[in-house]
Amino acid sequence: MNIKNNKIGLLSSIILGIVLILGGLVYAWYNSEVLLTFNSASKMYKDGYYFTSAAKNDTESIYSVAIYDMLDTGYGTDDGKSEVYSIFGDDGIYFLEANPNDSKIKSMIEMYDKYANEEHGEDEMPPVSYLMVEVNNDSYSVLEEIADMIDSNRTYRDAGQLFDDFYLSKTSLTTNIAMHLGITLVAIGLGIGVIVVALFRRSKNQDTYEKLCELDKRLIDNVDELENIADYVDKSLGVYIHKDHLILNTKFGFDMFNLNNLVWIYHNITKHKMYVFITVSVDYSLQINLYEDGKFREQRVMLSNNKNAQGAVESLLTYIGMNYPNSIVGFTPETREAYKNFKLSHR
């Protein structure tokens, strides 16, 4: 009888953990273009993700625009949540739709108003502000009317410096970055967690093995003998009862419990369903509550996910109930109340 979830289990868990960690890193690398912007419009611009009129047909990309002036055109929605602004960029004048109450928009308007009302030398460069934007088609042909007001003689439009067939809207990469970063961290965290749990489980398995050998010297380097000398054996579950100890050798771990200290034991059945009513798998676990050295130890142990294990689990509980009559077996309102009273009397 090999101790399950030991060498092979540890190795497979470490491999799974490494795969998850590498998967998270690969995912981060694949989305590094978004992650490394740090949601900074100025960084995007300096990294080359800037908008020019040549990219006006790409309505799915996010760019950064360097703005040298910004004016309210006077057009907007009745609810005051949307205004159209003209902005002077690197290669022309664009229209920008934004919420006038947005803090970034308000600060830009104030900055350019202040600059316009001050005196400046001929060599003094105007201030520049960077804004993250996405392109939208002017499906309602509103911009042409605004352009006629700004550029009545078509001077700028004929020179290719005023664009009225699309508009820019303020956007952000916050949601994208949060999603990609979240997926990356979750994958890496799960990978590390799987490895840590596997190492902990292996250490716990070793501790249990040493306690078992202390219980019966015949089992030192000869755990297989347990199948021959145990009072109760169920290989399908990996359950053994030997010298008043419940020994669980399942794929979920190697555990041992002193039944002389058992207060309450019952099993849980968890059904995993598909489309609400189709049971695809069943998990069986034991809730084992003991009173040892003046302290309560309550532990739930995964036993099996074999759909046909219910009969074997019930047989185990029946055996424990018959041979350890001082323990509470099964889950009913009465057994729950009996355990509650036991805890109150042993505070």
Side-chain angles (χ1 to χ4, degrees), residues 262 264-269 285-289 299-301 313 317 328-332 335-336 339:
L262 179 65
W264 187 23
I265 185 170
Y266 61 88
H267 73 290
N268 281 290
I269 303 175
S285 62
L286 286 178
Q287 179 65 43
I288 304 171
N289 298 347
Q299 186 171 337
R300 178 169 295 188
V301 182
V313 174
L317 295 179
I328 305 167
V329 179
F331 186 92
T332 64
T335 58
R336 181 173 59 182
Y339 180 65

mmCIF file with all atom_site columns, all heavy atoms in Angstrom, residues 262 264-269 285-289 299-301 313 317 328-332 335-336 339:
data_model
loop_
_atom_site.group_PDB
_atom_site.id
_atom_site.type_symbol
_atom_site.label_atom_id
_atom_site.label_alt_id
_atom_site.label_comp_id
_atom_site.label_asym_id
_atom_site.label_entity_id
_atom_site.label_seq_id
_atom_site.pdbx_PDB_ins_code
_atom_site.Cartn_x
_atom_site.Cartn_y
_atom_site.Cartn_z
_atom_site.occupancy
_atom_site.B_iso_or_equiv
_atom_site.pdbx_formal_charge
_atom_site.auth_seq_id
_atom_site.auth_comp_id
_atom_site.auth_asym_id
_atom_site.auth_atom_id
_atom_site.pdbx_PDB_model_num
ATOM 1   N N   . LEU A 1 262 ? -12.982 10.633 19.588 1.00 0.00 ? 262 LEU A N   1
ATOM 2   C CA  . LEU A 1 262 ? -14.023 11.064 18.650 1.00 0.00 ? 262 LEU A CA  1
ATOM 3   C C   . LEU A 1 262 ? -15.287 11.482 19.400 1.00 0.00 ? 262 LEU A C   1
ATOM 4   O O   . LEU A 1 262 ? -15.767 10.768 20.286 1.00 0.00 ? 262 LEU A O   1
ATOM 5   C CB  . LEU A 1 262 ? -14.353 9.924  17.680 1.00 0.00 ? 262 LEU A CB  1
ATOM 6   C CG  . LEU A 1 262 ? -15.453 10.211 16.653 1.00 0.00 ? 262 LEU A CG  1
ATOM 7   C CD1 . LEU A 1 262 ? -15.023 11.314 15.689 1.00 0.00 ? 262 LEU A CD1 1
ATOM 8   C CD2 . LEU A 1 262 ? -15.807 8.939  15.877 1.00 0.00 ? 262 LEU A CD2 1
ATOM 9   N N   . TRP A 1 264 ? -17.950 13.494 17.390 1.00 0.00 ? 264 TRP A N   1
ATOM 10  C CA  . TRP A 1 264 ? -19.023 13.489 16.382 1.00 0.00 ? 264 TRP A CA  1
ATOM 11  C C   . TRP A 1 264 ? -18.400 13.273 15.012 1.00 0.00 ? 264 TRP A C   1
ATOM 12  O O   . TRP A 1 264 ? -17.391 13.891 14.660 1.00 0.00 ? 264 TRP A O   1
ATOM 13  C CB  . TRP A 1 264 ? -19.752 14.817 16.436 1.00 0.00 ? 264 TRP A CB  1
ATOM 14  C CG  . TRP A 1 264 ? -20.990 14.915 15.576 1.00 0.00 ? 264 TRP A CG  1
ATOM 15  C CD1 . TRP A 1 264 ? -21.748 13.882 15.119 1.00 0.00 ? 264 TRP A CD1 1
ATOM 16  C CD2 . TRP A 1 264 ? -21.616 16.123 15.094 1.00 0.00 ? 264 TRP A CD2 1
ATOM 17  N NE1 . TRP A 1 264 ? -22.811 14.355 14.371 1.00 0.00 ? 264 TRP A NE1 1
ATOM 18  C CE2 . TRP A 1 264 ? -22.760 15.723 14.352 1.00 0.00 ? 264 TRP A CE2 1
ATOM 19  C CE3 . TRP A 1 264 ? -21.330 17.465 15.234 1.00 0.00 ? 264 TRP A CE3 1
ATOM 20  C CZ2 . TRP A 1 264 ? -23.604 16.661 13.738 1.00 0.00 ? 264 TRP A CZ2 1
ATOM 21  C CZ3 . TRP A 1 264 ? -22.167 18.394 14.634 1.00 0.00 ? 264 TRP A CZ3 1
ATOM 22  C CH2 . TRP A 1 264 ? -23.301 18.002 13.891 1.00 0.00 ? 264 TRP A CH2 1
ATOM 23  N N   . ILE A 1 265 ? -19.014 12.391 14.230 1.00 0.00 ? 265 ILE A N   1
ATOM 24  C CA  . ILE A 1 265 ? -18.563 12.143 12.861 1.00 0.00 ? 265 ILE A CA  1
ATOM 25  C C   . ILE A 1 265 ? -19.786 11.993 11.956 1.00 0.00 ? 265 ILE A C   1
ATOM 26  O O   . ILE A 1 265 ? -20.770 11.352 12.332 1.00 0.00 ? 265 ILE A O   1
ATOM 27  C CB  . ILE A 1 265 ? -17.657 10.887 12.775 1.00 0.00 ? 265 ILE A CB  1
ATOM 28  C CG1 . ILE A 1 265 ? -17.098 10.741 11.353 1.00 0.00 ? 265 ILE A CG1 1
ATOM 29  C CG2 . ILE A 1 265 ? -18.391 9.637  13.205 1.00 0.00 ? 265 ILE A CG2 1
ATOM 30  C CD1 . ILE A 1 265 ? -16.017 9.672  11.233 1.00 0.00 ? 265 ILE A CD1 1
ATOM 31  N N   . TYR A 1 266 ? -19.723 12.620 10.816 1.00 0.00 ? 266 TYR A N   1
ATOM 32  C CA  . TYR A 1 266 ? -20.792 12.452 9.815  1.00 0.00 ? 266 TYR A CA  1
ATOM 33  C C   . TYR A 1 266 ? -20.204 12.750 8.440  1.00 0.00 ? 266 TYR A C   1
ATOM 34  O O   . TYR A 1 266 ? -19.084 13.256 8.312  1.00 0.00 ? 266 TYR A O   1
ATOM 35  C CB  . TYR A 1 266 ? -21.988 13.360 10.112 1.00 0.00 ? 266 TYR A CB  1
ATOM 36  C CG  . TYR A 1 266 ? -21.689 14.845 10.106 1.00 0.00 ? 266 TYR A CG  1
ATOM 37  C CD1 . TYR A 1 266 ? -21.771 15.588 8.927  1.00 0.00 ? 266 TYR A CD1 1
ATOM 38  C CD2 . TYR A 1 266 ? -21.334 15.510 11.282 1.00 0.00 ? 266 TYR A CD2 1
ATOM 39  C CE1 . TYR A 1 266 ? -21.511 16.958 8.924  1.00 0.00 ? 266 TYR A CE1 1
ATOM 40  C CE2 . TYR A 1 266 ? -21.076 16.861 11.285 1.00 0.00 ? 266 TYR A CE2 1
ATOM 41  C CZ  . TYR A 1 266 ? -21.176 17.585 10.105 1.00 0.00 ? 266 TYR A CZ  1
ATOM 42  O OH  . TYR A 1 266 ? -20.906 18.927 10.103 1.00 0.00 ? 266 TYR A OH  1
ATOM 43  N N   . HIS A 1 267 ? -20.935 12.415 7.413  1.00 0.00 ? 267 HIS A N   1
ATOM 44  C CA  . HIS A 1 267 ? -20.420 12.644 6.061  1.00 0.00 ? 267 HIS A CA  1
ATOM 45  C C   . HIS A 1 267 ? -21.233 13.705 5.334  1.00 0.00 ? 267 HIS A C   1
ATOM 46  O O   . HIS A 1 267 ? -22.415 13.911 5.607  1.00 0.00 ? 267 HIS A O   1
ATOM 47  C CB  . HIS A 1 267 ? -20.393 11.339 5.254  1.00 0.00 ? 267 HIS A CB  1
ATOM 48  C CG  . HIS A 1 267 ? -21.745 10.846 4.810  1.00 0.00 ? 267 HIS A CG  1
ATOM 49  N ND1 . HIS A 1 267 ? -22.680 10.336 5.664  1.00 0.00 ? 267 HIS A ND1 1
ATOM 50  C CD2 . HIS A 1 267 ? -22.302 10.791 3.572  1.00 0.00 ? 267 HIS A CD2 1
ATOM 51  C CE1 . HIS A 1 267 ? -23.756 9.984  4.997  1.00 0.00 ? 267 HIS A CE1 1
ATOM 52  N NE2 . HIS A 1 267 ? -23.562 10.255 3.720  1.00 0.00 ? 267 HIS A NE2 1
ATOM 53  N N   . ASN A 1 268 ? -20.557 14.385 4.435  1.00 0.00 ? 268 ASN A N   1
ATOM 54  C CA  . ASN A 1 268 ? -21.191 15.386 3.580  1.00 0.00 ? 268 ASN A CA  1
ATOM 55  C C   . ASN A 1 268 ? -21.175 14.889 2.144  1.00 0.00 ? 268 ASN A C   1
ATOM 56  O O   . ASN A 1 268 ? -20.195 14.272 1.701  1.00 0.00 ? 268 ASN A O   1
ATOM 57  C CB  . ASN A 1 268 ? -20.428 16.716 3.633  1.00 0.00 ? 268 ASN A CB  1
ATOM 58  C CG  . ASN A 1 268 ? -20.764 17.509 4.884  1.00 0.00 ? 268 ASN A CG  1
ATOM 59  O OD1 . ASN A 1 268 ? -21.864 18.019 5.036  1.00 0.00 ? 268 ASN A OD1 1
ATOM 60  N ND2 . ASN A 1 268 ? -19.805 17.604 5.792  1.00 0.00 ? 268 ASN A ND2 1
ATOM 61  N N   . ILE A 1 269 ? -22.240 15.182 1.427  1.00 0.00 ? 269 ILE A N   1
ATOM 62  C CA  . ILE A 1 269 ? -22.309 14.851 0.006  1.00 0.00 ? 269 ILE A CA  1
ATOM 63  C C   . ILE A 1 269 ? -22.478 16.155 -0.768 1.00 0.00 ? 269 ILE A C   1
ATOM 64  O O   . ILE A 1 269 ? -23.424 16.908 -0.521 1.00 0.00 ? 269 ILE A O   1
ATOM 65  C CB  . ILE A 1 269 ? -23.487 13.906 -0.310 1.00 0.00 ? 269 ILE A CB  1
ATOM 66  C CG1 . ILE A 1 269 ? -23.380 12.626 0.514  1.00 0.00 ? 269 ILE A CG1 1
ATOM 67  C CG2 . ILE A 1 269 ? -23.517 13.581 -1.802 1.00 0.00 ? 269 ILE A CG2 1
ATOM 68  C CD1 . ILE A 1 269 ? -24.575 11.711 0.345  1.00 0.00 ? 269 ILE A CD1 1
ATOM 69  N N   . SER A 1 285 ? -17.192 13.716 1.789  1.00 0.00 ? 285 SER A N   1
ATOM 70  C CA  . SER A 1 285 ? -16.212 14.135 2.787  1.00 0.00 ? 285 SER A CA  1
ATOM 71  C C   . SER A 1 285 ? -16.699 13.731 4.176  1.00 0.00 ? 285 SER A C   1
ATOM 72  O O   . SER A 1 285 ? -17.906 13.533 4.401  1.00 0.00 ? 285 SER A O   1
ATOM 73  C CB  . SER A 1 285 ? -15.992 15.651 2.738  1.00 0.00 ? 285 SER A CB  1
ATOM 74  O OG  . SER A 1 285 ? -17.184 16.352 3.031  1.00 0.00 ? 285 SER A OG  1
ATOM 75  N N   . LEU A 1 286 ? -15.748 13.613 5.091  1.00 0.00 ? 286 LEU A N   1
ATOM 76  C CA  . LEU A 1 286 ? -16.070 13.300 6.481  1.00 0.00 ? 286 LEU A CA  1
ATOM 77  C C   . LEU A 1 286 ? -15.826 14.524 7.349  1.00 0.00 ? 286 LEU A C   1
ATOM 78  O O   . LEU A 1 286 ? -14.781 15.176 7.234  1.00 0.00 ? 286 LEU A O   1
ATOM 79  C CB  . LEU A 1 286 ? -15.201 12.147 6.987  1.00 0.00 ? 286 LEU A CB  1
ATOM 80  C CG  . LEU A 1 286 ? -15.510 10.735 6.498  1.00 0.00 ? 286 LEU A CG  1
ATOM 81  C CD1 . LEU A 1 286 ? -14.503 9.758  7.075  1.00 0.00 ? 286 LEU A CD1 1
ATOM 82  C CD2 . LEU A 1 286 ? -16.927 10.323 6.868  1.00 0.00 ? 286 LEU A CD2 1
ATOM 83  N N   . GLN A 1 287 ? -16.782 14.836 8.188  1.00 0.00 ? 287 GLN A N   1
ATOM 84  C CA  . GLN A 1 287 ? -16.584 15.855 9.209  1.00 0.00 ? 287 GLN A CA  1
ATOM 85  C C   . GLN A 1 287 ? -16.244 15.109 10.492 1.00 0.00 ? 287 GLN A C   1
ATOM 86  O O   . GLN A 1 287 ? -17.055 14.359 11.023 1.00 0.00 ? 287 GLN A O   1
ATOM 87  C CB  . GLN A 1 287 ? -17.834 16.711 9.390  1.00 0.00 ? 287 GLN A CB  1
ATOM 88  C CG  . GLN A 1 287 ? -17.692 17.794 10.462 1.00 0.00 ? 287 GLN A CG  1
ATOM 89  C CD  . GLN A 1 287 ? -16.643 18.841 10.090 1.00 0.00 ? 287 GLN A CD  1
ATOM 90  O OE1 . GLN A 1 287 ? -16.584 19.280 8.949  1.00 0.00 ? 287 GLN A OE1 1
ATOM 91  N NE2 . GLN A 1 287 ? -15.820 19.231 11.052 1.00 0.00 ? 287 GLN A NE2 1
ATOM 92  N N   . ILE A 1 288 ? -15.009 15.313 10.965 1.00 0.00 ? 288 ILE A N   1
ATOM 93  C CA  . ILE A 1 288 ? -14.512 14.575 12.132 1.00 0.00 ? 288 ILE A CA  1
ATOM 94  C C   . ILE A 1 288 ? -14.225 15.567 13.250 1.00 0.00 ? 288 ILE A C   1
ATOM 95  O O   . ILE A 1 288 ? -13.326 16.409 13.133 1.00 0.00 ? 288 ILE A O   1
ATOM 96  C CB  . ILE A 1 288 ? -13.236 13.786 11.769 1.00 0.00 ? 288 ILE A CB  1
ATOM 97  C CG1 . ILE A 1 288 ? -13.513 12.858 10.580 1.00 0.00 ? 288 ILE A CG1 1
ATOM 98  C CG2 . ILE A 1 288 ? -12.736 12.999 12.966 1.00 0.00 ? 288 ILE A CG2 1
ATOM 99  C CD1 . ILE A 1 288 ? -12.275 12.195 10.017 1.00 0.00 ? 288 ILE A CD1 1
ATOM 100 N N   . ASN A 1 289 ? -14.996 15.488 14.325 1.00 0.00 ? 289 ASN A N   1
ATOM 101 C CA  . ASN A 1 289 ? -14.837 16.388 15.467 1.00 0.00 ? 289 ASN A CA  1
ATOM 102 C C   . ASN A 1 289 ? -14.347 15.584 16.673 1.00 0.00 ? 289 ASN A C   1
ATOM 103 O O   . ASN A 1 289 ? -15.012 14.642 17.110 1.00 0.00 ? 289 ASN A O   1
ATOM 104 C CB  . ASN A 1 289 ? -16.157 17.075 15.818 1.00 0.00 ? 289 ASN A CB  1
ATOM 105 C CG  . ASN A 1 289 ? -16.668 17.937 14.671 1.00 0.00 ? 289 ASN A CG  1
ATOM 106 O OD1 . ASN A 1 289 ? -15.943 18.225 13.717 1.00 0.00 ? 289 ASN A OD1 1
ATOM 107 N ND2 . ASN A 1 289 ? -17.920 18.360 14.754 1.00 0.00 ? 289 ASN A ND2 1
ATOM 108 N N   . GLN A 1 299 ? -12.348 18.890 11.870 1.00 0.00 ? 299 GLN A N   1
ATOM 109 C CA  . GLN A 1 299 ? -11.681 18.828 10.575 1.00 0.00 ? 299 GLN A CA  1
ATOM 110 C C   . GLN A 1 299 ? -12.559 18.129 9.539  1.00 0.00 ? 299 GLN A C   1
ATOM 111 O O   . GLN A 1 299 ? -13.127 17.083 9.805  1.00 0.00 ? 299 GLN A O   1
ATOM 112 C CB  . GLN A 1 299 ? -10.351 18.083 10.703 1.00 0.00 ? 299 GLN A CB  1
ATOM 113 C CG  . GLN A 1 299 ? -9.512  18.097 9.427  1.00 0.00 ? 299 GLN A CG  1
ATOM 114 C CD  . GLN A 1 299 ? -8.119  17.535 9.669  1.00 0.00 ? 299 GLN A CD  1
ATOM 115 O OE1 . GLN A 1 299 ? -7.618  17.532 10.804 1.00 0.00 ? 299 GLN A OE1 1
ATOM 116 N NE2 . GLN A 1 299 ? -7.473  17.065 8.614  1.00 0.00 ? 299 GLN A NE2 1
ATOM 117 N N   . ARG A 1 300 ? -12.657 18.759 8.398  1.00 0.00 ? 300 ARG A N   1
ATOM 118 C CA  . ARG A 1 300 ? -13.369 18.135 7.280  1.00 0.00 ? 300 ARG A CA  1
ATOM 119 C C   . ARG A 1 300 ? -12.332 17.544 6.335  1.00 0.00 ? 300 ARG A C   1
ATOM 120 O O   . ARG A 1 300 ? -11.399 18.224 5.925  1.00 0.00 ? 300 ARG A O   1
ATOM 121 C CB  . ARG A 1 300 ? -14.243 19.147 6.543  1.00 0.00 ? 300 ARG A CB  1
ATOM 122 C CG  . ARG A 1 300 ? -14.964 18.557 5.333  1.00 0.00 ? 300 ARG A CG  1
ATOM 123 C CD  . ARG A 1 300 ? -16.025 19.485 4.781  1.00 0.00 ? 300 ARG A CD  1
ATOM 124 N NE  . ARG A 1 300 ? -17.097 19.676 5.735  1.00 0.00 ? 300 ARG A NE  1
ATOM 125 C CZ  . ARG A 1 300 ? -18.235 20.323 5.464  1.00 0.00 ? 300 ARG A CZ  1
ATOM 126 N NH1 . ARG A 1 300 ? -18.425 20.837 4.262  1.00 0.00 ? 300 ARG A NH1 1
ATOM 127 N NH2 . ARG A 1 300 ? -19.168 20.463 6.387  1.00 0.00 ? 300 ARG A NH2 1
ATOM 128 N N   . VAL A 1 301 ? -12.516 16.285 5.994  1.00 0.00 ? 301 VAL A N   1
ATOM 129 C CA  . VAL A 1 301 ? -11.540 15.565 5.167  1.00 0.00 ? 301 VAL A CA  1
ATOM 130 C C   . VAL A 1 301 ? -12.228 15.040 3.915  1.00 0.00 ? 301 VAL A C   1
ATOM 131 O O   . VAL A 1 301 ? -13.240 14.347 4.003  1.00 0.00 ? 301 VAL A O   1
ATOM 132 C CB  . VAL A 1 301 ? -10.918 14.391 5.950  1.00 0.00 ? 301 VAL A CB  1
ATOM 133 C CG1 . VAL A 1 301 ? -9.866  13.696 5.099  1.00 0.00 ? 301 VAL A CG1 1
ATOM 134 C CG2 . VAL A 1 301 ? -10.309 14.869 7.258  1.00 0.00 ? 301 VAL A CG2 1
ATOM 135 N N   . VAL A 1 313 ? -19.225 4.586  2.360  1.00 0.00 ? 313 VAL A N   1
ATOM 136 C CA  . VAL A 1 313 ? -19.114 5.622  3.400  1.00 0.00 ? 313 VAL A CA  1
ATOM 137 C C   . VAL A 1 313 ? -20.089 5.315  4.528  1.00 0.00 ? 313 VAL A C   1
ATOM 138 O O   . VAL A 1 313 ? -19.746 5.410  5.721  1.00 0.00 ? 313 VAL A O   1
ATOM 139 C CB  . VAL A 1 313 ? -19.382 7.026  2.805  1.00 0.00 ? 313 VAL A CB  1
ATOM 140 C CG1 . VAL A 1 313 ? -19.400 8.069  3.908  1.00 0.00 ? 313 VAL A CG1 1
ATOM 141 C CG2 . VAL A 1 313 ? -18.336 7.366  1.759  1.00 0.00 ? 313 VAL A CG2 1
ATOM 142 N N   . LEU A 1 317 ? -19.407 4.476  8.659  1.00 0.00 ? 317 LEU A N   1
ATOM 143 C CA  . LEU A 1 317 ? -20.046 5.153  9.797  1.00 0.00 ? 317 LEU A CA  1
ATOM 144 C C   . LEU A 1 317 ? -20.800 4.163  10.676 1.00 0.00 ? 317 LEU A C   1
ATOM 145 O O   . LEU A 1 317 ? -20.824 4.311  11.910 1.00 0.00 ? 317 LEU A O   1
ATOM 146 C CB  . LEU A 1 317 ? -20.983 6.257  9.286  1.00 0.00 ? 317 LEU A CB  1
ATOM 147 C CG  . LEU A 1 317 ? -20.313 7.430  8.566  1.00 0.00 ? 317 LEU A CG  1
ATOM 148 C CD1 . LEU A 1 317 ? -21.347 8.434  8.098  1.00 0.00 ? 317 LEU A CD1 1
ATOM 149 C CD2 . LEU A 1 317 ? -19.297 8.116  9.474  1.00 0.00 ? 317 LEU A CD2 1
ATOM 150 N N   . ILE A 1 328 ? -20.850 10.371 18.641 1.00 0.00 ? 328 ILE A N   1
ATOM 151 C CA  . ILE A 1 328 ? -22.079 10.749 17.941 1.00 0.00 ? 328 ILE A CA  1
ATOM 152 C C   . ILE A 1 328 ? -21.843 10.515 16.456 1.00 0.00 ? 328 ILE A C   1
ATOM 153 O O   . ILE A 1 328 ? -20.872 11.011 15.886 1.00 0.00 ? 328 ILE A O   1
ATOM 154 C CB  . ILE A 1 328 ? -22.424 12.236 18.194 1.00 0.00 ? 328 ILE A CB  1
ATOM 155 C CG1 . ILE A 1 328 ? -22.495 12.516 19.705 1.00 0.00 ? 328 ILE A CG1 1
ATOM 156 C CG2 . ILE A 1 328 ? -23.723 12.613 17.517 1.00 0.00 ? 328 ILE A CG2 1
ATOM 157 C CD1 . ILE A 1 328 ? -22.525 14.003 20.035 1.00 0.00 ? 328 ILE A CD1 1
ATOM 158 N N   . VAL A 1 329 ? -22.734 9.753  15.840 1.00 0.00 ? 329 VAL A N   1
ATOM 159 C CA  . VAL A 1 329 ? -22.546 9.391  14.434 1.00 0.00 ? 329 VAL A CA  1
ATOM 160 C C   . VAL A 1 329 ? -23.737 9.858  13.611 1.00 0.00 ? 329 VAL A C   1
ATOM 161 O O   . VAL A 1 329 ? -24.900 9.665  14.003 1.00 0.00 ? 329 VAL A O   1
ATOM 162 C CB  . VAL A 1 329 ? -22.373 7.868  14.276 1.00 0.00 ? 329 VAL A CB  1
ATOM 163 C CG1 . VAL A 1 329 ? -22.205 7.499  12.796 1.00 0.00 ? 329 VAL A CG1 1
ATOM 164 C CG2 . VAL A 1 329 ? -21.165 7.382  15.071 1.00 0.00 ? 329 VAL A CG2 1
ATOM 165 N N   . GLY A 1 330 ? -23.455 10.468 12.467 1.00 0.00 ? 330 GLY A N   1
ATOM 166 C CA  . GLY A 1 330 ? -24.505 10.909 11.552 1.00 0.00 ? 330 GLY A CA  1
ATOM 167 C C   . GLY A 1 330 ? -24.939 12.336 11.813 1.00 0.00 ? 330 GLY A C   1
ATOM 168 O O   . GLY A 1 330 ? -24.679 12.905 12.889 1.00 0.00 ? 330 GLY A O   1
ATOM 169 N N   . PHE A 1 331 ? -25.614 12.915 10.818 1.00 0.00 ? 331 PHE A N   1
ATOM 170 C CA  . PHE A 1 331 ? -26.058 14.304 10.950 1.00 0.00 ? 331 PHE A CA  1
ATOM 171 C C   . PHE A 1 331 ? -27.581 14.345 10.969 1.00 0.00 ? 331 PHE A C   1
ATOM 172 O O   . PHE A 1 331 ? -28.253 14.013 9.996  1.00 0.00 ? 331 PHE A O   1
ATOM 173 C CB  . PHE A 1 331 ? -25.533 15.147 9.794  1.00 0.00 ? 331 PHE A CB  1
ATOM 174 C CG  . PHE A 1 331 ? -25.842 16.616 9.964  1.00 0.00 ? 331 PHE A CG  1
ATOM 175 C CD1 . PHE A 1 331 ? -24.929 17.448 10.579 1.00 0.00 ? 331 PHE A CD1 1
ATOM 176 C CD2 . PHE A 1 331 ? -27.038 17.144 9.524  1.00 0.00 ? 331 PHE A CD2 1
ATOM 177 C CE1 . PHE A 1 331 ? -25.212 18.795 10.760 1.00 0.00 ? 331 PHE A CE1 1
ATOM 178 C CE2 . PHE A 1 331 ? -27.334 18.488 9.695  1.00 0.00 ? 331 PHE A CE2 1
ATOM 179 C CZ  . PHE A 1 331 ? -26.420 19.324 10.315 1.00 0.00 ? 331 PHE A CZ  1
ATOM 180 N N   . THR A 1 332 ? -28.105 14.741 12.112 1.00 0.00 ? 332 THR A N   1
ATOM 181 C CA  . THR A 1 332 ? -29.537 14.999 12.278 1.00 0.00 ? 332 THR A CA  1
ATOM 182 C C   . THR A 1 332 ? -29.660 16.176 13.230 1.00 0.00 ? 332 THR A C   1
ATOM 183 O O   . THR A 1 332 ? -28.682 16.560 13.894 1.00 0.00 ? 332 THR A O   1
ATOM 184 C CB  . THR A 1 332 ? -30.266 13.777 12.891 1.00 0.00 ? 332 THR A CB  1
ATOM 185 O OG1 . THR A 1 332 ? -29.761 13.553 14.224 1.00 0.00 ? 332 THR A OG1 1
ATOM 186 C CG2 . THR A 1 332 ? -30.072 12.531 12.036 1.00 0.00 ? 332 THR A CG2 1
ATOM 187 N N   . THR A 1 335 ? -28.391 14.934 16.600 1.00 0.00 ? 335 THR A N   1
ATOM 188 C CA  . THR A 1 335 ? -26.945 14.779 16.785 1.00 0.00 ? 335 THR A CA  1
ATOM 189 C C   . THR A 1 335 ? -26.256 16.145 16.845 1.00 0.00 ? 335 THR A C   1
ATOM 190 O O   . THR A 1 335 ? -25.289 16.324 17.589 1.00 0.00 ? 335 THR A O   1
ATOM 191 C CB  . THR A 1 335 ? -26.335 13.945 15.635 1.00 0.00 ? 335 THR A CB  1
ATOM 192 O OG1 . THR A 1 335 ? -26.622 14.578 14.379 1.00 0.00 ? 335 THR A OG1 1
ATOM 193 C CG2 . THR A 1 335 ? -26.892 12.537 15.632 1.00 0.00 ? 335 THR A CG2 1
ATOM 194 N N   . ARG A 1 336 ? -26.769 17.092 16.078 1.00 0.00 ? 336 ARG A N   1
ATOM 195 C CA  . ARG A 1 336 ? -26.193 18.443 16.134 1.00 0.00 ? 336 ARG A CA  1
ATOM 196 C C   . ARG A 1 336 ? -26.406 19.055 17.513 1.00 0.00 ? 336 ARG A C   1
ATOM 197 O O   . ARG A 1 336 ? -25.511 19.686 18.079 1.00 0.00 ? 336 ARG A O   1
ATOM 198 C CB  . ARG A 1 336 ? -26.829 19.321 15.059 1.00 0.00 ? 336 ARG A CB  1
ATOM 199 C CG  . ARG A 1 336 ? -26.276 20.738 15.023 1.00 0.00 ? 336 ARG A CG  1
ATOM 200 C CD  . ARG A 1 336 ? -26.811 21.494 13.833 1.00 0.00 ? 336 ARG A CD  1
ATOM 201 N NE  . ARG A 1 336 ? -28.268 21.578 13.860 1.00 0.00 ? 336 ARG A NE  1
ATOM 202 C CZ  . ARG A 1 336 ? -29.003 22.157 12.905 1.00 0.00 ? 336 ARG A CZ  1
ATOM 203 N NH1 . ARG A 1 336 ? -28.401 22.652 11.829 1.00 0.00 ? 336 ARG A NH1 1
ATOM 204 N NH2 . ARG A 1 336 ? -30.314 22.205 12.996 1.00 0.00 ? 336 ARG A NH2 1
ATOM 205 N N   . TYR A 1 339 ? -24.038 17.392 20.062 1.00 0.00 ? 339 TYR A N   1
ATOM 206 C CA  . TYR A 1 339 ? -22.656 17.906 19.979 1.00 0.00 ? 339 TYR A CA  1
ATOM 207 C C   . TYR A 1 339 ? -22.561 19.306 20.585 1.00 0.00 ? 339 TYR A C   1
ATOM 208 O O   . TYR A 1 339 ? -21.584 19.632 21.273 1.00 0.00 ? 339 TYR A O   1
ATOM 209 C CB  . TYR A 1 339 ? -22.199 17.925 18.526 1.00 0.00 ? 339 TYR A CB  1
ATOM 210 C CG  . TYR A 1 339 ? -20.787 18.444 18.353 1.00 0.00 ? 339 TYR A CG  1
ATOM 211 C CD1 . TYR A 1 339 ? -19.704 17.751 18.885 1.00 0.00 ? 339 TYR A CD1 1
ATOM 212 C CD2 . TYR A 1 339 ? -20.530 19.638 17.679 1.00 0.00 ? 339 TYR A CD2 1
ATOM 213 C CE1 . TYR A 1 339 ? -18.406 18.210 18.739 1.00 0.00 ? 339 TYR A CE1 1
ATOM 214 C CE2 . TYR A 1 339 ? -19.233 20.114 17.527 1.00 0.00 ? 339 TYR A CE2 1
ATOM 215 C CZ  . TYR A 1 339 ? -18.180 19.402 18.066 1.00 0.00 ? 339 TYR A CZ  1
ATOM 216 O OH  . TYR A 1 339 ? -16.893 19.869 17.927 1.00 0.00 ? 339 TYR A OH  1
#
